[in-house]
Amino acid sequence: MRLLPRVNYILMPVIITVFTFMGWIVYEQFYRASQTYLKGYLEQELSYVQQQMHLEWNSYQSILNKISISQELLQYTSTDDSRYQSFVFESRLMKMLARVRRNTSQIQQIQLLGNDDKPLISIPVGNPFDTPEIDFEVKSFLQESRALRFGETRGAGKSIQRFIYPSIDPNTVRFGIASTIVPHLLSDDRANNPNSEYYTIFLVGELTYFSQLEKRIKNHIGAGVTLQFSVMPPANDAQELSDIRVVDGSDGGLVGGLSTELFAINIVVPKTSIASRLSAVRSDIYLSVLSVILISFLVLSTLIRRQIISPITQLKERVKKSRQQQESLLSYIESDDEVAELNNSYLELLNNVERLASRDVLTGLGNRRNFQNTLSRAIQRNVERNKNIALLYIDLDNFKQVNDHHGHAAGDLVLQEFGCRLNDVVRLEDVTGVPGGVSLSRLGGDEFVVLLNDIPNPDVALAVANRILELFDPAFEVAGVQYGVCASIGIAISPEDGGDATTLLRHADAALYKAKAHGKHCCEFFTADIAEAIRRKTLIANDLSSALVNGDLRLVFMPIYEVETLIIVGVEVLLRCPTLERQGIGPDQFIPIAESTGLIRKIDLWVLDSALACLKCLQTEHGFSGYLAINISGVELHSKKFPQKVDEYIQMYSIDPASVEIELTETALVSNTDNSAIILQQIKDLGLGLSLDDFGTGYTAFNQLIHYPVDCLKIDRSFISAIGTGAVEKAAMIDTIMALAKLYKLQVVAEGVETAEQLDYLKTIGCARAQGYLLSKPVEWERFLALWRENAKNIDLS
Amino acid sequence: MKIIKPAVVLLILVLSLPTSAEKVRIYNWRLYLADQVVETFEKESGHTLIQMYYDEEAVRDAVISSGRSQGFDLIMMDDSTLRLMDRLDRFQNLESINGDIEGIEPLWRKACGPFGVAYSWGTSGLMYRSSVAVEPIHSWRQLFEVPAEHQGRLVTHLDHQDSVASALMAIGAHPFAVDKVALQQAFNLLQKQQASILAQTYGLAYAQIHGTSSKMSLTYGFSSDLSELIKISGQDDWVYVVPEEGTLLWADCWAAPYGKTLKPATVAFLKFINRPDIAAMNAERMGFTTVNQAALALVNNDYRSNKVLFPSKAIQDRGSYYQILDPESEKLRQRMITSLQSQ
């Protein structure tokens, strides 16, 4: 199971259990407290009832006593004259009894019974025409044991009897209290004379305590409470027992009661009543528990997720991605926790594995596998970026002898040492010109390979190879021992020597074989042409450099004509190097070489200097009114100092800048456009003109044209030569260029005009200027002067 | 010799002194003995008369039977109760005094018996205010089925003899009938009466308490009550009528409670009260019918011609004397009254 669900599965039950348990405990406490309180309450109520009843019984007793000893009763009972008795005494007695009844709210009936229980007086009278009858309850009482009336069973006797009677209506309880009197005797004396005439007085009434108690308790606790009133059977031993007891019921409720010798009150408070009192508490507890469960679950879950699971999951993701992409997305985590430790350990593990997998154990250089990957990747990148890769396959010559003569330990040492030195040599940036684009590998045995990425030209590879070879000059010394090993290097250049890893390696191997065949301790390129080209390039560069130093450079002049009038309006200066010229190498060859070596800077400055000097001469001595066009290398656009230099020369020769035009090839503008634009602008700001040479061959976009402060477009010769040949697109290009020039208000000069047809065509399309062999070849200084003089005459004439 | 002279002087002094001043305690109805009579007696005899009053015979009887009567020298008793109490030796024999007094009508002397000295006699009837009454009261029925103008203005006491008797007379029965059916009807009438009552007390006593502010307009009373009622209420439109169904004839007698020897003062008072001039003055003043024939000769014409005090023979013929019935009947009447009292 996933971690997060697992956490949830663990958390939920535990939280629910814990909080439910707590909630239950809290509820139990409340319940218990409620129970205790109710217990106290019931005890209090019962005690109150008990006291009240006690007081009331006492008062009834005293009333009975009062009646018993009252004069009215005494006289009534002691008179012989029945007429007098009925005329006088009975009314008095009746009045007294009626008064007693009126004054005592609970007494409802008073009855006086004579001897043999004959009813004499009954209050209230009710219907006076009915003879007094014994009250129903009194009758029941009389049926009880008579002996109790005189307490025959006991010594002193009890003159006052009490009884409680449940009435037919279950909500009322009737009570009675009776006293037997023998009028002529004192109460103490009665026991001695059980057979004397006696009268019995009954007070009968209704006990409201029970219903009041019931109402009160039900109001307080709830309707679920049951109260039961029961009459005790008359006990033989009439002790004054009165017992209040409230205990816990079997169902968790309360059971209690008051029991006296006359009656018992039983109260049952069911658990539901107590519980219903707590219903508000219960719902509060439910809510609290629920919300606490939810909140703590959410909080805990979130915290765990964020603090524990999330880091783990993230680590897992990173590891997974690392595996998928074969490169490590893991990075060192600085934390102190287990996840960080795991992360770091894994990282180290990966690194170790990676190292182990890709490193050669002995030298610490890359191993074969690593090399294969690196090479493949490099070739892939090379294709994308259109750069060269150089593969240097190095084999140590005479290595076997080291092992044989000095032992394998020494051999290993040599290899190790070579690896180190190789590393040092190769990684020098100034050698390669490209930082970090190198990888070294040991393919096995004594074979090493150096991969150079993104080299600008094969020369770099050669330089590196030479450096490596120098390591073995004069011998390879390791720990004081000189070993007669040296290296043979085979160089293969991609893409020329192979577009895939296998081919490249194979060719490099072949080059190595070639080197070995040449006598070892040397390097060989796979492609002879490359080597040759390098050689040639070096020669030319040297010659050019010498020519510059020796003043062997010359300028030639190519006039630019106005097409309509064939008037010379300007002149382009071109560079010649006689030395190279004799070898058949023209500026189209040596200028690129000069650019690659950086010599072009010096050459450009020489050109500038010389050209401006010529112009000065032309203007001052020969009245030249046209402009001078000077070709400048695109390299100058990266030189911040160039405009400054131009300005220096302008100032030096005091030339009007407007009469000077700088020519740049369209292609030179392609790279590093921003800086180029700035420098161009600076040149323009000096007041010079600017024209794009070989226009139409580059990739200038229209909006780029806006960037450059160009004045003139020089249509490339290829388009001009296409006129009349039926190459429609090329011809159409001229129209397009014309339209473009018109749009941007630029001058147009057509280059390489060689036929009259071409010239005519240019005339028709409105191209203003042209130059070419038809009009004039590039000529020497003297010749140009002559041309100018002729032309000037023509100007005067026209 | 020397001792004799002072002794004789002392004796003469003692003998010449008037008899020592005694107190005569009398338990009587209110307004039954003229103040002037009292003053005169006290002046002439030097004795003091102390009167205490009762308003209900039952109360008086309770006092007597409780033994408290010992505190009195004379108690005014009605003839029937006195005769009843004869048997119980409650009172002293006054025959000797009766023998000394002349002029008491033999009828009434016989009524009071040997234990009483007759004082007055009369009828029972209804008194009402003529200014209130729409029509004159003429029947006992009207005591129970109270006319509208007297509703809430009836004052009457509940007595087991008077009330029951008047109710019985109201239904045309004998006032001392024992027939249960009649008594039932009488009881019903008494119950009906309850709704119309202003106060359940003796009318004259009510007037005594409320005086001129008394709202009473109809009441049960005795012939001797009228003049006093008019006097104390200030309402001179009161009229006494003997209802047509009949009336109860009563006599009041002085009685001396047993246990005390008759004081000379008491004897003197009894003789004094029966002196014709005194008796006449007393009767005239208090408006009751005197039993003293000798006094009758001295009364004024107004008194003598008072129809209330001296009812016609016809009325007397309609009258019945008070009786003590058998115990069961008495008990029944007691119960009736008790029942009504508790309602």
Side-chain angles (χ1 to χ4, degrees):
Chain A
M1 193 193 289
R2 309 291 297 172
L3 275 182
L4 190 57
R6 192 188 294 180
V7 164
N8 288 346
Y9 275 128
I10 293 173
L11 275 185
M12 244 330 194
V14 170
I15 290 177
I16 290 177
T17 308
V18 165
F19 284 117
T20 307
F21 181 68
M22 278 171 58
W24 178 77
I25 286 188
V26 167
Y27 177 73
E28 278 294 309
Q29 292 309 313
F30 269 106
Y31 184 86
R32 234 161 268 294
S34 199
Q35 209 180 24
T36 309
Y37 161 73
L38 283 178
K39 209 194 268 194
Y41 168 76
L42 285 177
E43 277 172 5
Q44 195 187 15
E45 283 287 345
L46 289 172
S47 156
Y48 172 73
V49 166
Q50 184 191 48
Q51 277 175 23
Q52 286 299 109
M53 291 211 64
H54 195 65
L55 287 171
E56 284 230 350
W57 281 127
N58 281 348
S59 82
Y60 297 148
Q61 260 170 247
S62 65
I63 288 172
L64 267 184
N65 278 335
K66 216 167 64 168
I67 296 173
S68 321
I69 60 173
S70 71
Q71 214 180 38
E72 287 91 333
L73 184 63
L74 281 174
Q75 285 181 336
Y76 177 85
T77 52
S78 50
T79 190
D80 293 325
D81 189 305
S82 58
R83 285 199 334 160
Y84 201 71
Q85 189 195 45
S86 58
F87 190 81
V88 179
F89 294 135
E90 187 159 317
S91 69
R92 280 187 62 202
L93 183 56
M94 280 172 75
K95 277 212 180 82
M96 183 205 73
L97 292 175
R99 197 171 52 246
V100 165
R101 179 178 164 273
R102 245 196 330 272
N103 292 340
T104 325
S105 57
Q106 301 226 50
I107 296 178
Q108 293 171 341
Q109 263 172 302
I110 304 179
Q111 282 205 322
L112 177 68
L113 268 51
N115 216 12
D116 298 332
D117 301 331
K118 201 173 59 152
L120 298 173
I121 294 177
S122 188
I123 300 287
V125 173
N127 189 343
F129 299 93
D130 298 330
T131 42
E133 267 187 3
I134 305 183
D135 191 47
F136 157 75
E137 281 137 353
V138 171
K139 201 184 280 186
S140 315
F141 175 75
L142 290 173
Q143 284 161 3
E144 309 277 315
S145 150
R146 269 172 123 69
L148 285 175
R149 299 224 225 139
F150 291 107
E152 275 176 0
T153 54
R154 286 168 53 231
K158 198 119 173 88
S159 60
I160 294 184
Q161 299 297 316
R162 304 178 293 175
F163 60 96
I164 299 246
Y165 218 79
S167 79
I168 296 162
D169 178 1
N171 288 332
T172 62
V173 175
R174 314 269 298 160
F175 77 93
I177 183 164
S179 176
T180 310
I181 53 165
V182 176
H184 313 297
L185 300 173
L186 296 174
S187 57
D188 301 354
D189 218 4
R190 260 173 242 150
N192 289 332
N193 302 280
N195 294 324
S196 22
E197 270 188 19
Y198 57 90
Y199 293 82
T200 321
I201 308 169
F202 286 87
L203 304 177
V204 178
E206 181 176 318
L207 273 185
T208 53
Y209 293 120
F210 182 62
S211 56
Q212 282 170 7
L213 178 70
E214 193 172 13
K215 206 191 301 181
R216 271 207 305 279
I217 290 181
K218 283 201 172 150
N219 267 352
H220 195 82
I221 300 179
V225 178
T226 51
L227 278 92
Q228 202 192 15
F229 188 91
S230 51
V231 176
M232 295 293 221
N236 276 348
D237 58 338
Q239 293 160 330
E240 278 278 345
L241 71 88
S242 181
D243 186 28
I244 295 176
R245 199 172 300 172
V246 182
V247 295
D248 296 337
S250 53
D251 69 334
L254 286 176
V255 166
L258 161 69
S259 57
T260 68
E261 72 270 22
L262 285 173
F263 66 91
I265 297 177
N266 281 322
I267 302 177
V268 175
V269 179
K271 187 171 181 140
T272 51
S273 287
I274 304 181
S276 68
R277 278 168 64 87
L278 295 174
S279 60
V281 167
R282 238 206 323 278
S283 49
D284 279 347
I285 290 179
Y286 282 153
L287 237 78
S288 310
V289 166
L290 226 68
S291 42
V292 161
I293 284 177
L294 235 72
I295 290 171
S296 44
F297 173 71
L298 284 171
V299 166
L300 278 176
S301 175
T302 309
L303 280 176
I304 288 178
R305 188 161 40 82
R306 222 181 267 172
Q307 295 292 323
I308 296 175
I309 294 180
S310 211
I312 295 175
T313 318
Q314 283 169 14
L315 179 59
K316 173 208 89 177
E317 282 300 313
R318 270 182 267 138
V319 167
K320 193 154 128 191
K321 275 204 192 121
S322 299
R323 274 177 45 215
Q324 285 168 355
Q325 295 177 18
Q326 302 220 337
E327 45 184 292
S328 176
L329 291 170
L330 298 170
S331 51
Y332 223 76
I333 297 175
E334 281 294 336
S335 216
D336 195 15
D337 60 62
E338 288 84 343
V339 175
E341 279 178 31
L342 185 65
N343 177 70
N344 297 341
S345 302
Y346 193 77
L347 185 62
E348 279 176 32
L349 186 68
L350 271 184
N351 287 342
N352 281 342
V353 167
E354 186 60 43
R355 249 203 309 281
L356 279 174
S358 64
R359 292 276 143 217
D360 172 61
V361 175
L362 184 61
T363 58
L365 303 176
N367 59 12
R368 180 178 286 270
R369 180 178 149 277
N370 170 258
F371 168 69
Q372 302 275 23
N373 289 342
T374 312
L375 184 58
S376 305
R377 275 208 302 276
I379 287 177
Q380 182 63 37
R381 270 209 303 281
N382 172 55
V383 166
E384 289 165 11
R385 293 199 208 158
N386 208 20
K387 286 278 169 92
N388 291 336
I389 297 176
L391 200 62
L392 276 66
Y393 206 144
I394 307 169
D395 183 281
L396 293 180
D397 309 320
N398 308 327
F399 182 70
K400 191 173 175 302
Q401 282 156 356
V402 174
N403 273 338
D404 292 343
H405 287 154
H406 298 273
H408 282 275
D412 287 347
L413 201 59
V414 165
L415 289 173
Q416 271 178 332
E417 197 52 40
F418 176 63
C420 283
R421 291 181 196 173
L422 184 65
N423 197 20
D424 294 335
V425 150
V426 162
R427 292 209 185 274
L428 292 171
E429 283 181 31
D430 56 352
V431 173
T432 61
V434 178
V438 177
S439 65
L440 305 172
S441 308
R442 175 175 168 232
L443 294 186
D446 61 347
E447 291 179 343
F448 291 80
V449 74
V450 174
L451 180 67
L452 299 173
N453 267 322
D454 292 350
I455 49 168
N457 49 53
D459 303 42
V460 173
L462 182 65
V464 172
N466 283 332
R467 284 279 244 186
I468 295 170
L469 289 173
E470 278 171 24
L471 288 175
F472 297 92
D473 268 332
F476 197 70
E477 184 180 316
V478 178
V481 180
Q482 301 207 334
Y483 297 95
V485 292
C486 52
S488 298
I489 306 177
I491 307 175
I493 308 289
S494 164
E496 290 89 348
D497 294 336
D500 63 282
T502 327
T503 315
L504 200 63
L505 194 61
R506 200 175 65 238
H507 289 174
D509 190 43
L512 176 65
Y513 186 74
K514 217 178 1 178
K516 278 201 189 282
H518 269 177
K520 304 184 183 178
H521 194 58
C522 60
C523 59
E524 282 291 335
F525 276 95
F526 176 70
T527 313
D529 292 347
I530 292 173
E532 181 58 36
I534 291 173
R535 199 175 56 78
R536 271 194 80 213
K537 228 163 73 169
T538 317
L539 278 174
I540 294 172
N542 290 339
D543 284 345
L544 196 57
S545 182
S546 314
L548 181 64
V549 165
N550 298 336
D552 198 21
L553 296 173
R554 288 205 331 264
L555 291 175
V556 296
F557 302 85
M558 186 165 199
I560 303 168
Y561 293 87
E562 195 177 79
V563 167
E564 281 299 318
T565 57
L566 292 180
I567 296 174
I568 295 174
V569 292
V571 61
E572 182 181 347
V573 293
L574 302 163
L575 182 65
R576 293 284 181 271
C577 179
T579 318
L580 292 173
E581 234 176 305
R582 280 193 287 278
Q583 295 172 41
I585 298 167
D588 54 339
Q589 286 179 333
F590 68 72
I591 293 291
I593 292 173
E595 281 176 347
S596 74
T597 57
L599 191 60
I600 193 65
R601 292 251 165 86
K602 291 203 179 114
I603 293 173
D604 275 343
L605 286 177
W606 182 89
V607 167
L608 204 57
D609 188 7
S610 311
L612 286 176
C614 292
L615 180 64
K616 189 69 186 174
C617 181
L618 276 173
Q619 284 176 342
T620 50
E621 290 177 23
H622 303 280
F624 182 70
S625 58
Y627 64 90
L628 188 74
I630 310 174
N631 285 289
I632 297 293
S633 164
V635 170
E636 301 302 343
L637 290 180
H638 299 276
S639 164
K640 290 191 187 131
K641 290 220 175 94
F642 181 68
Q644 196 181 324
K645 278 276 184 243
V646 170
D647 191 35
E648 275 176 26
Y649 285 126
I650 298 282
Q651 298 300 331
M652 189 160 73
Y653 289 106
S654 311
I655 298 218
D656 176 16
S659 60
V660 178
E661 192 175 277
I662 302 289
E663 278 191 22
L664 291 161
T665 56
E666 191 192 356
T667 49
L669 289 179
V670 173
S671 65
N672 204 358
T673 53
D674 286 342
N675 276 347
S676 317
I678 292 168
I679 288 168
L680 276 178
Q681 190 59 47
Q682 282 174 348
I683 294 170
K684 261 308 286 186
D685 289 340
L686 290 172
L688 285 80
L690 219 53
S691 66
L692 289 183
D693 204 359
D694 301 337
F695 192 77
T697 59
Y699 298 106
T700 314
F702 291 169
N703 65 348
Q704 277 177 316
L705 268 184
I706 305 173
H707 279 351
Y708 309 131
V710 168
D711 300 306
C712 175
L713 302 175
K714 298 185 87 169
I715 306 177
D716 187 68
R717 62 188 68 245
S718 61
F719 299 112
I720 305 301
S721 58
I723 295 171
T725 58
V728 182
E729 295 96 10
K730 285 227 160 130
M733 266 304 282
I734 300 171
D735 296 329
T736 314
I737 294 166
M738 287 303 301
L740 204 61
K742 203 166 171 192
L743 183 67
Y744 288 106
K745 299 190 178 48
L746 304 171
Q747 278 288 345
V748 183
V749 175
E751 290 182 316
V753 176
E754 292 177 358
T755 67
E757 190 191 353
Q758 290 165 352
L759 192 62
D760 287 332
Y761 182 76
L762 288 169
K763 245 191 245 180
T764 51
I765 65 166
C767 179
R769 298 175 184 172
Q771 67 188 62
Y773 280 22
L774 176 71
L775 300 162
S776 176
K777 290 186 190 161
V779 294
E780 304 267 324
W781 172 250
E782 300 300 333
R783 180 79 187 103
F784 178 69
L785 284 176
L787 274 176
W788 170 250
R789 276 200 291 274
E790 264 182 55
N791 203 273
K793 272 197 218 125
N794 291 344
I795 295 170
D796 289 337
L797 288 175
S798 62
Chain B
M1 282 300 184
K2 272 216 171 121
I3 304 168
I4 293 171
K5 212 175 193 169
V8 169
V9 169
L10 199 62
L11 190 65
I12 292 167
L13 276 169
V14 167
L15 286 171
S16 65
L17 274 176
T19 18
S20 50
E22 285 183 329
K23 294 197 179 121
V24 182
R25 289 193 167 80
I26 296 179
Y27 197 34
N28 195 4
W29 293 100
R30 286 179 198 275
L31 307 166
Y32 214 23
L33 189 60
D35 294 334
Q36 204 168 357
V37 169
V38 173
E39 282 166 24
T40 314
F41 173 74
E42 284 178 340
K43 204 157 71 174
E44 284 188 16
S45 66
H47 301 304
T48 320
L49 223 57
I50 299 170
Q51 271 199 95
M52 295 201 147
Y53 306 107
Y54 60 85
D55 298 317
E56 279 183 40
E57 287 181 358
V59 173
R60 175 201 66 197
D61 295 342
V63 167
I64 293 167
S65 44
S66 71
R68 290 181 181 85
S69 53
Q70 299 297 315
F72 296 104
D73 298 302
L74 284 176
I75 301 180
M76 184 65 72
M77 298 294 298
D78 61 286
D79 60 320
S80 63
T81 313
L82 184 58
R83 283 201 297 279
L84 177 68
M85 290 189 177
D86 280 354
R87 311 218 185 160
L88 301 174
D89 298 330
R90 296 268 176 206
F91 295 102
Q92 303 195 30
N93 196 313
L94 299 176
E95 273 304 290
S96 56
I97 299 174
N98 267 330
D100 289 342
I101 296 169
E102 288 171 2
I104 294 182
E105 250 181 280
L107 175 64
W108 302 118
R109 182 167 158 175
K110 192 165 159 214
C112 287
F115 294 93
V117 175
Y119 181 70
S120 70
W121 70 277
T123 57
S124 67
L126 296 173
M127 289 187 285
Y128 66 96
R129 292 187 63 182
S130 54
S131 65
V132 175
V134 170
E135 280 181 9
I137 302 290
H138 58 92
S139 163
W140 282 112
R141 276 225 108 114
Q142 288 169 306
L143 181 59
F144 305 98
E145 290 159 357
V146 179
E149 63 272 24
H150 296 295
Q151 286 281 349
R153 300 180 74 165
L154 167 66
V155 178
T156 182
H157 69 300
L158 271 178
D159 177 82
H160 75 286
Q161 285 185 309
D162 291 334
S163 308
V164 178
S166 48
L168 283 168
M169 285 193 281
I171 58 167
H174 188 275
F176 289 95
V178 295
D179 167 39
K180 290 235 171 79
V181 173
L183 283 169
Q184 179 72 62
Q185 286 176 14
F187 185 66
N188 293 343
L189 278 180
L190 284 162
Q191 280 180 319
K192 209 189 277 187
Q193 183 191 63
Q194 297 289 308
S196 318
I197 285 178
L198 168 63
Q200 189 100 72
T201 182
Y202 185 51
L204 192 58
Y206 183 86
Q208 177 81 355
I209 293 164
H210 290 89
T212 49
S213 62
S214 160
K215 294 263 183 297
M216 177 173 66
S217 68
L218 175 63
T219 187
Y220 175 96
F222 302 99
S223 50
S224 50
D225 292 342
L226 183 63
S227 59
E228 288 307 310
L229 178 58
I230 291 171
K231 253 192 242 165
I232 34 173
S233 70
Q235 297 152 353
D236 54 4
D237 60 335
W238 280 99
V239 172
Y240 179 85
V241 63
V242 174
E244 62 212 14
E245 295 90 350
T247 182
L248 293 175
L249 300 172
W250 53 271
D252 281 336
C253 327
W254 292 110
Y258 190 81
K260 283 186 155 185
T261 47
L262 268 182
K263 290 179 191 162
T266 310
V267 176
F269 176 70
L270 282 170
K271 289 194 175 151
F272 175 78
I273 203 84
N274 277 297
R275 229 167 67 187
D277 58 324
I278 297 298
M281 178 179 67
N282 197 18
E284 274 173 354
R285 290 256 152 114
M286 301 319 294
F288 63 85
T289 321
T290 180
V291 297
N292 198 318
Q293 278 175 325
L296 279 177
L298 302 175
V299 295
N300 58 39
N301 267 343
D302 281 336
Y303 179 81
R304 194 62 189 83
S305 57
N306 190 324
K307 284 283 184 292
V308 171
L309 295 176
F310 296 95
S312 65
K313 188 153 188 314
I315 290 175
Q316 288 187 49
D317 289 341
R318 286 215 295 273
S320 313
Y321 291 98
Y322 278 83
Q323 292 177 29
I324 308 290
L325 299 167
D326 64 283
E328 283 308 311
S329 302
E330 286 297 332
K331 279 199 219 280
L332 176 56
R333 279 165 152 83
Q334 295 283 7
R335 284 206 298 277
M336 283 165 72
I337 296 305
T338 310
S339 169
L340 289 165
Q341 275 172 342
S342 59
Q343 281 170 16

